[in-house]
Amino acid sequence: MQGKRFISWMLGIVILAGTGWSFWSKKQQEKANQTQSKPAESTVAAKPVAPQVKAQHASLSEEKVEVLELNLTVNQRFPMIKTVEQTLSQASSSGITHSKSKLELILALTVEEIKDDGRKRFKVLYTGVKYSHDIAGERVHYDSNRPSGPVPPDVQAYQRLVKNGFSFWIGPDNKIVELVGFDDFLKRCLQNTPPEQRETVLAKISESSGDDGIANFIDDSIGLLPYNIDEHHKGGAIRVGETWTKIRRLTQPIPMVLKTEYTLRELDEKTAIINVAGDIAASKISSPLNQNGKNVQLYIRGGKSFGSCLIDRKTGLPLKSQIERFLETTVKLANGREFEQQKQIVTTIRAFPHQESRPLGPAAN
């Protein structure tokens, strides 16, 4: 229940802060009213007092309308790093155990085509992978730039991502529309993979790079822009302080429904900061999962997500996006035994939109 306590603690801080602010504002208003109602003392040759001017806060409708959208050209190339860190906590007879994993994908995103109707096609090419985990005392580490010895089965899914890729289309609402060349991408990833391991490898590839994997990548970066999400945001029109909501359904690796609220917190000529806060609805996986040869049922009791994204206004791409998700789940074994788990997923995306490729010197390898 650590996730609930953490969330309750954070909510308590916010509520106390809000209550304190309301109390302070009320006292200040009472003090101001008392000052205004108090009769002025008579003085000799008193100078005329200038009329008091009341400060008024500008309403949201009076804020300047800005535009947040993708500003890209064909053949533009952007290096990116996506990192996913997961921590699974589970109560046992010996106490609470923690399992951790970290996946770092180094990739390049290239604009291949832009249609008049707002659709854009991107090519993603993976240039490096780092993976590590510590699960039940088993430690695994892999770096595609420093391979050493035989690759563990858990890492084979990521080994063939390097120098491999595919394309995808996004619509004018910055949502993924279609994957292009993904089947060929999978075939290259499965080269030399034993038949008994293909199902596991496919599941991991789909989780990181399939429809949901790319949709996760898009939603945590360019997909959070308000471009054409409803009739109030045509062309990415937005004001500081304004909020918009998106609902998304995931199927991999765990089916869930996410309702996320985005708020434009800050904006200047170069960058924009968007705050992220969301709820993960309770759900149940209808078909049994297979873990280490055992069938289990997984129930999602609920969850929360929050984070922020720093947008480069020149391109509309994220300079840095960090989203944290907390899930509370119940696992039911085939023998009827149940136990609770808490899962934390931290996804970080960093882009380098202004980095130009330069020719290497003769000493470069």
Side-chain angles (χ1 to χ4, degrees):
M1 302 300 289
Q2 287 179 331
K4 283 188 175 179
R5 292 176 182 171
F6 175 78
I7 296 166
S8 301
W9 178 76
M10 291 298 294
L11 288 174
I13 292 295
V14 173
I15 292 170
L16 286 175
T19 305
W21 173 257
S22 301
F23 177 79
W24 183 86
S25 300
K26 183 177 180 181
K27 288 298 183 182
Q28 292 296 316
Q29 185 62 40
E30 290 176 355
K31 185 176 179 181
N33 292 338
Q34 291 174 1
T35 303
Q36 291 178 3
S37 60
K38 183 178 179 180
E41 296 180 1
S42 59
T43 57
V44 178
K47 295 182 179 180
V49 180
Q52 189 177 20
V53 178
K54 287 187 177 182
Q56 294 182 350
H57 296 286
S59 65
L60 188 62
S61 60
E62 294 173 345
E63 291 287 341
K64 181 182 177 182
V65 176
E66 302 284 352
V67 173
L68 286 182
E69 62 178 336
L70 291 177
N71 298 299
L72 305 173
T73 57
V74 175
N75 295 326
Q76 274 188 300
R77 183 177 181 273
F78 308 101
M80 288 186 170
I81 299 176
K82 176 184 177 181
T83 305
V84 181
E85 299 177 81
Q86 302 188 59
T87 302
L88 182 67
S89 303
Q90 178 179 307
S92 65
S93 57
S94 58
I96 298 177
T97 59
H98 303 282
S99 299
K100 298 183 178 182
S101 69
K102 181 178 180 179
L103 173 65
E104 182 176 280
L105 299 173
I106 305 168
L107 54 100
L109 201 65
T110 303
V111 183
E112 290 188 308
E113 189 175 354
I114 300 176
K115 295 286 188 180
D116 293 337
D117 60 4
R119 289 183 299 152
K120 303 173 184 66
R121 188 176 71 186
F122 296 86
K123 181 176 181 61
V124 55
L125 178 67
Y126 297 98
T127 57
V129 179
K130 294 181 181 179
Y131 175 80
S132 62
H133 76 220
D134 184 351
I135 301 175
E138 179 194 57
R139 290 180 172 85
V140 170
H141 179 77
Y142 172 75
D143 186 345
S144 62
N145 292 322
R146 295 183 178 88
S148 59
V151 178
D154 291 334
V155 179
Q156 290 183 5
Y158 308 120
Q159 182 186 23
R160 299 194 178 279
L161 288 179
V162 182
K163 297 181 181 180
N164 198 354
F166 56 94
S167 300
F168 62 91
W169 284 94
I170 63 170
D173 57 355
N174 297 329
K175 290 292 184 181
I176 187 169
V177 175
E178 179 188 1
L179 296 180
V180 180
F182 190 72
D183 289 341
D184 292 335
F185 165 76
L186 286 180
K187 290 178 182 177
R188 292 190 292 269
C189 288
L190 292 175
Q191 286 179 353
N192 303 324
T193 301
E196 64 274 12
Q197 296 179 1
R198 289 195 171 190
E199 185 177 349
T200 302
V201 172
L202 275 174
K204 285 186 174 291
I205 294 174
S206 296
E207 180 179 342
S208 61
S209 305
D211 288 282
D212 282 336
I214 287 295
N216 273 333
F217 171 74
I218 296 299
D219 275 7
D220 293 339
S221 55
I222 60 180
L224 50 74
L225 296 179
Y227 195 78
N228 286 358
I229 60 170
D230 55 40
E231 65 276 8
H232 302 296
H233 299 92
K234 294 296 184 182
I238 191 71
R239 297 178 176 89
V240 174
E242 194 170 359
T243 297
W244 61 100
T245 302
K246 295 185 180 183
I247 298 176
R248 181 161 163 261
R249 290 169 173 80
L250 291 179
T251 58
Q252 293 287 342
I254 301 174
M256 66 180 74
V257 178
L258 293 82
K259 182 179 180 181
T260 308
E261 186 178 83
Y262 304 91
T263 303
L264 179 59
R265 192 182 79 190
E266 296 180 23
L267 183 142
D268 57 31
E269 293 181 356
K270 295 183 178 180
T271 61
I273 298 178
I274 296 175
N275 279 357
V276 180
D279 292 312
I280 301 172
S283 63
K284 171 188 174 182
I285 294 183
S286 56
S287 59
L289 294 176
N290 187 284
Q291 293 184 351
N292 300 323
K294 298 179 181 179
N295 290 332
V296 301
Q297 292 281 353
L298 180 65
Y299 302 83
I300 298 177
R301 303 195 304 275
K304 296 286 183 181
S305 65
F306 61 88
S308 65
C309 183
L310 177 66
I311 300 290
D312 172 41
R313 294 197 66 188
K314 183 177 180 180
T315 61
L317 292 173
L319 296 173
K320 182 176 181 181
S321 168
Q322 180 167 305
I323 310 296
E324 297 187 41
R325 295 186 176 97
F326 292 88
L327 280 174
E328 293 192 354
T329 64
T330 298
V331 177
K332 184 177 181 180
L333 302 180
N335 59 10
R337 184 184 173 190
E338 295 184 358
F339 51 90
E340 296 181 352
Q341 294 179 338
Q342 291 81 38
K343 191 170 188 178
Q344 178 190 18
I345 306 171
V346 181
T347 303
T348 304
I349 296 173
R350 289 177 292 161
F352 311 93
H354 303 301
Q355 189 178 74
E356 299 177 357
S357 59
R358 299 178 181 179
L360 298 176
N365 183 358

mmCIF file of all heavy atoms in Angstrom, residues 42-70:
data_model
loop_
_atom_site.group_PDB
_atom_site.id
_atom_site.type_symbol
_atom_site.label_atom_id
_atom_site.label_comp_id
_atom_site.label_asym_id
_atom_site.label_seq_id
_atom_site.Cartn_x
_atom_site.Cartn_y
_atom_site.Cartn_z
ATOM 1 N N SER A 42 -7.893 63.649 11.275
ATOM 2 C CA SER A 42 -7.802 65.003 10.714
ATOM 3 C C SER A 42 -6.382 65.506 10.825
ATOM 4 O O SER A 42 -5.724 65.345 11.838
ATOM 5 C CB SER A 42 -8.747 65.940 11.487
ATOM 6 O OG SER A 42 -8.398 65.952 12.857
ATOM 7 N N THR A 43 -5.884 66.097 9.788
ATOM 8 C CA THR A 43 -4.542 66.667 9.769
ATOM 9 C C THR A 43 -4.605 68.053 9.174
ATOM 10 O O THR A 43 -5.554 68.408 8.480
ATOM 11 C CB THR A 43 -3.600 65.795 8.921
ATOM 12 O OG1 THR A 43 -4.135 65.682 7.615
ATOM 13 C CG2 THR A 43 -3.464 64.385 9.517
ATOM 14 N N VAL A 44 -3.576 68.820 9.440
ATOM 15 C CA VAL A 44 -3.517 70.182 8.931
ATOM 16 C C VAL A 44 -2.873 70.172 7.560
ATOM 17 O O VAL A 44 -1.834 69.560 7.370
ATOM 18 C CB VAL A 44 -2.696 71.075 9.897
ATOM 19 C CG1 VAL A 44 -2.597 72.500 9.351
ATOM 20 C CG2 VAL A 44 -3.328 71.054 11.272
ATOM 21 N N ALA A 45 -3.503 70.870 6.605
ATOM 22 C CA ALA A 45 -2.991 71.000 5.237
ATOM 23 C C ALA A 45 -2.672 69.635 4.644
ATOM 24 O O ALA A 45 -1.606 69.404 4.089
ATOM 25 C CB ALA A 45 -1.750 71.892 5.211
ATOM 26 N N ALA A 46 -3.618 68.742 4.823
ATOM 27 C CA ALA A 46 -3.402 67.394 4.287
ATOM 28 C C ALA A 46 -3.496 67.415 2.764
ATOM 29 O O ALA A 46 -4.323 68.092 2.196
ATOM 30 C CB ALA A 46 -4.452 66.433 4.851
ATOM 31 N N LYS A 47 -2.603 66.666 2.141
ATOM 32 C CA LYS A 47 -2.616 66.592 0.685
ATOM 33 C C LYS A 47 -3.726 65.672 0.227
ATOM 34 O O LYS A 47 -4.060 64.707 0.890
ATOM 35 C CB LYS A 47 -1.271 66.063 0.179
ATOM 36 C CG LYS A 47 -0.114 67.000 0.475
ATOM 37 C CD LYS A 47 1.180 66.441 -0.095
ATOM 38 C CE LYS A 47 2.349 67.392 0.174
ATOM 39 N NZ LYS A 47 3.616 66.866 -0.364
ATOM 40 N N PRO A 48 -4.333 65.985 -0.910
ATOM 41 C CA PRO A 48 -5.403 65.106 -1.415
ATOM 42 C C PRO A 48 -4.869 63.702 -1.673
ATOM 43 O O PRO A 48 -3.778 63.524 -2.207
ATOM 44 C CB PRO A 48 -5.826 65.787 -2.723
ATOM 45 C CG PRO A 48 -4.674 66.644 -3.111
ATOM 46 C CD PRO A 48 -4.054 67.101 -1.827
ATOM 47 N N VAL A 49 -5.657 62.721 -1.253
ATOM 48 C CA VAL A 49 -5.252 61.334 -1.398
ATOM 49 C C VAL A 49 -5.707 60.817 -2.757
ATOM 50 O O VAL A 49 -6.864 61.007 -3.137
ATOM 51 C CB VAL A 49 -5.858 60.471 -0.267
ATOM 52 C CG1 VAL A 49 -5.431 59.014 -0.440
ATOM 53 C CG2 VAL A 49 -5.409 61.000 1.086
ATOM 54 N N ALA A 50 -4.780 60.185 -3.447
ATOM 55 C CA ALA A 50 -5.124 59.623 -4.765
ATOM 56 C C ALA A 50 -6.086 58.461 -4.585
ATOM 57 O O ALA A 50 -6.000 57.720 -3.605
ATOM 58 C CB ALA A 50 -3.852 59.147 -5.473
ATOM 59 N N PRO A 51 -7.062 58.330 -5.468
ATOM 60 C CA PRO A 51 -8.032 57.235 -5.338
ATOM 61 C C PRO A 51 -7.331 55.883 -5.361
ATOM 62 O O PRO A 51 -6.391 55.681 -6.127
ATOM 63 C CB PRO A 51 -8.932 57.416 -6.563
ATOM 64 C CG PRO A 51 -8.120 58.212 -7.534
ATOM 65 C CD PRO A 51 -7.272 59.114 -6.688
ATOM 66 N N GLN A 52 -7.794 54.958 -4.499
ATOM 67 C CA GLN A 52 -7.204 53.645 -4.395
ATOM 68 C C GLN A 52 -7.537 52.813 -5.622
ATOM 69 O O GLN A 52 -8.662 52.767 -6.078
ATOM 70 C CB GLN A 52 -7.724 52.936 -3.143
ATOM 71 C CG GLN A 52 -6.996 51.642 -2.843
ATOM 72 C CD GLN A 52 -7.494 51.022 -1.562
ATOM 73 O OE1 GLN A 52 -8.585 51.345 -1.120
ATOM 74 N NE2 GLN A 52 -6.706 50.159 -0.966
ATOM 75 N N VAL A 53 -6.507 52.138 -6.158
ATOM 76 C CA VAL A 53 -6.686 51.309 -7.347
ATOM 77 C C VAL A 53 -6.647 49.855 -6.939
ATOM 78 O O VAL A 53 -5.708 49.406 -6.293
ATOM 79 C CB VAL A 53 -5.582 51.585 -8.396
ATOM 80 C CG1 VAL A 53 -5.770 50.684 -9.605
ATOM 81 C CG2 VAL A 53 -5.590 53.043 -8.789
ATOM 82 N N LYS A 54 -7.689 49.115 -7.282
ATOM 83 C CA LYS A 54 -7.757 47.709 -6.954
ATOM 84 C C LYS A 54 -7.056 46.888 -8.038
ATOM 85 O O LYS A 54 -7.315 47.059 -9.211
ATOM 86 C CB LYS A 54 -9.214 47.246 -6.830
ATOM 87 C CG LYS A 54 -9.899 47.750 -5.583
ATOM 88 C CD LYS A 54 -11.272 47.107 -5.462
ATOM 89 C CE LYS A 54 -11.950 47.537 -4.173
ATOM 90 N NZ LYS A 54 -13.271 46.887 -4.024
ATOM 91 N N ALA A 55 -6.152 45.996 -7.585
ATOM 92 C CA ALA A 55 -5.468 45.112 -8.522
ATOM 93 C C ALA A 55 -6.388 43.966 -8.885
ATOM 94 O O ALA A 55 -6.998 43.351 -8.025
ATOM 95 C CB ALA A 55 -4.177 44.570 -7.905
ATOM 96 N N GLN A 56 -6.497 43.705 -10.163
ATOM 97 C CA GLN A 56 -7.360 42.632 -10.629
ATOM 98 C C GLN A 56 -6.524 41.598 -11.377
ATOM 99 O O GLN A 56 -5.656 41.940 -12.168
ATOM 100 C CB GLN A 56 -8.448 43.176 -11.570
ATOM 101 C CG GLN A 56 -9.435 44.109 -10.874
ATOM 102 C CD GLN A 56 -10.512 44.573 -11.812
ATOM 103 O OE1 GLN A 56 -10.427 44.345 -13.008
ATOM 104 N NE2 GLN A 56 -11.532 45.206 -11.274
ATOM 105 N N HIS A 57 -6.777 40.319 -11.062
ATOM 106 C CA HIS A 57 -6.080 39.245 -11.743
ATOM 107 C C HIS A 57 -6.703 39.038 -13.128
ATOM 108 O O HIS A 57 -7.918 39.016 -13.271
ATOM 109 C CB HIS A 57 -6.166 37.949 -10.936
ATOM 110 C CG HIS A 57 -5.479 38.042 -9.610
ATOM 111 N ND1 HIS A 57 -4.115 38.032 -9.481
ATOM 112 C CD2 HIS A 57 -5.985 38.168 -8.354
ATOM 113 C CE1 HIS A 57 -3.789 38.124 -8.198
ATOM 114 N NE2 HIS A 57 -4.904 38.216 -7.501
ATOM 115 N N ALA A 58 -5.829 38.878 -14.113
ATOM 116 C CA ALA A 58 -6.332 38.664 -15.473
ATOM 117 C C ALA A 58 -6.986 37.292 -15.553
ATOM 118 O O ALA A 58 -6.465 36.311 -15.047
ATOM 119 C CB ALA A 58 -5.181 38.753 -16.478
ATOM 120 N N SER A 59 -8.138 37.228 -16.174
ATOM 121 C CA SER A 59 -8.821 35.948 -16.327
ATOM 122 C C SER A 59 -8.127 35.133 -17.400
ATOM 123 O O SER A 59 -7.337 35.640 -18.191
ATOM 124 C CB SER A 59 -10.286 36.176 -16.703
ATOM 125 O OG SER A 59 -10.366 36.783 -17.977
ATOM 126 N N LEU A 60 -8.439 33.838 -17.425
ATOM 127 C CA LEU A 60 -7.806 32.957 -18.387
ATOM 128 C C LEU A 60 -8.105 33.392 -19.811
ATOM 129 O O LEU A 60 -7.274 33.302 -20.698
ATOM 130 C CB LEU A 60 -8.289 31.518 -18.158
ATOM 131 C CG LEU A 60 -7.581 30.418 -18.947
ATOM 132 C CD1 LEU A 60 -6.112 30.373 -18.581
ATOM 133 C CD2 LEU A 60 -8.235 29.075 -18.679
ATOM 134 N N SER A 61 -9.330 33.937 -20.027
ATOM 135 C CA SER A 61 -9.711 34.356 -21.375
ATOM 136 C C SER A 61 -8.924 35.575 -21.838
ATOM 137 O O SER A 61 -8.859 35.855 -23.026
ATOM 138 C CB SER A 61 -11.221 34.657 -21.410
ATOM 139 O OG SER A 61 -11.538 35.695 -20.490
ATOM 140 N N GLU A 62 -8.326 36.315 -20.869
ATOM 141 C CA GLU A 62 -7.565 37.506 -21.241
ATOM 142 C C GLU A 62 -6.095 37.196 -21.508
ATOM 143 O O GLU A 62 -5.345 38.062 -21.952
ATOM 144 C CB GLU A 62 -7.675 38.547 -20.114
ATOM 145 C CG GLU A 62 -9.099 39.088 -19.939
ATOM 146 C CD GLU A 62 -9.221 39.974 -18.711
ATOM 147 O OE1 GLU A 62 -8.313 39.927 -17.868
ATOM 148 O OE2 GLU A 62 -10.207 40.700 -18.609
ATOM 149 N N GLU A 63 -5.663 35.962 -21.195
ATOM 150 C CA GLU A 63 -4.282 35.586 -21.475
ATOM 151 C C GLU A 63 -4.066 35.510 -22.984
ATOM 152 O O GLU A 63 -4.973 35.178 -23.747
ATOM 153 C CB GLU A 63 -3.962 34.230 -20.836
ATOM 154 C CG GLU A 63 -3.913 34.246 -19.314
ATOM 155 C CD GLU A 63 -2.671 34.932 -18.793
ATOM 156 O OE1 GLU A 63 -1.703 35.066 -19.567
ATOM 157 O OE2 GLU A 63 -2.679 35.344 -17.623
ATOM 158 N N LYS A 64 -2.847 35.775 -23.396
ATOM 159 C CA LYS A 64 -2.514 35.759 -24.808
ATOM 160 C C LYS A 64 -2.556 34.335 -25.353
ATOM 161 O O LYS A 64 -2.045 33.405 -24.753
ATOM 162 C CB LYS A 64 -1.109 36.341 -25.012
ATOM 163 C CG LYS A 64 -0.675 36.398 -26.467
ATOM 164 C CD LYS A 64 0.738 36.938 -26.582
ATOM 165 C CE LYS A 64 1.199 36.930 -28.036
ATOM 166 N NZ LYS A 64 2.601 37.419 -28.154
ATOM 167 N N VAL A 65 -3.206 34.182 -26.500
ATOM 168 C CA VAL A 65 -3.289 32.870 -27.135
ATOM 169 C C VAL A 65 -1.956 32.571 -27.825
ATOM 170 O O VAL A 65 -1.456 33.373 -28.604
ATOM 171 C CB VAL A 65 -4.441 32.810 -28.150
ATOM 172 C CG1 VAL A 65 -4.453 31.469 -28.857
ATOM 173 C CG2 VAL A 65 -5.773 33.062 -27.469
ATOM 174 N N GLU A 66 -1.372 31.417 -27.491
ATOM 175 C CA GLU A 66 -0.134 30.976 -28.111
ATOM 176 C C GLU A 66 -0.415 29.727 -28.936
ATOM 177 O O GLU A 66 -1.520 29.182 -28.921
ATOM 178 C CB GLU A 66 0.920 30.682 -27.034
ATOM 179 C CG GLU A 66 1.238 31.863 -26.132
ATOM 180 C CD GLU A 66 2.123 32.893 -26.802
ATOM 181 O OE1 GLU A 66 2.606 32.615 -27.913
ATOM 182 O OE2 GLU A 66 2.346 33.965 -26.210
ATOM 183 N N VAL A 67 0.619 29.263 -29.641
ATOM 184 C CA VAL A 67 0.481 28.068 -30.476
ATOM 185 C C VAL A 67 1.580 27.082 -30.118
ATOM 186 O O VAL A 67 2.764 27.437 -30.085
ATOM 187 C CB VAL A 67 0.567 28.425 -31.979
ATOM 188 C CG1 VAL A 67 0.585 27.143 -32.818
ATOM 189 C CG2 VAL A 67 -0.613 29.301 -32.376
ATOM 190 N N LEU A 68 1.161 25.842 -29.824
ATOM 191 C CA LEU A 68 2.105 24.750 -29.586
ATOM 192 C C LEU A 68 1.850 23.673 -30.639
ATOM 193 O O LEU A 68 0.802 23.036 -30.640
ATOM 194 C CB LEU A 68 1.917 24.167 -28.182
ATOM 195 C CG LEU A 68 2.415 24.999 -27.003
ATOM 196 C CD1 LEU A 68 2.195 24.243 -25.704
ATOM 197 C CD2 LEU A 68 3.883 25.357 -27.161
ATOM 198 N N GLU A 69 2.789 23.495 -31.539
ATOM 199 C CA GLU A 69 2.618 22.529 -32.610
ATOM 200 C C GLU A 69 3.979 22.062 -33.108
ATOM 201 O O GLU A 69 5.018 22.649 -32.777
ATOM 202 C CB GLU A 69 1.841 23.153 -33.770
ATOM 203 C CG GLU A 69 2.556 24.336 -34.391
ATOM 204 C CD GLU A 69 1.810 24.937 -35.574
ATOM 205 O OE1 GLU A 69 1.020 24.187 -36.185
ATOM 206 O OE2 GLU A 69 2.024 26.110 -35.889
ATOM 207 N N LEU A 70 3.966 20.999 -33.893
ATOM 208 C CA LEU A 70 5.191 20.519 -34.523
ATOM 209 C C LEU A 70 5.559 21.412 -35.697
ATOM 210 O O LEU A 70 4.718 21.707 -36.550
ATOM 211 C CB LEU A 70 5.014 19.077 -35.003
ATOM 212 C CG LEU A 70 4.891 17.999 -33.926
ATOM 213 C CD1 LEU A 70 4.648 16.647 -34.572
ATOM 214 C CD2 LEU A 70 6.122 17.947 -33.046
#
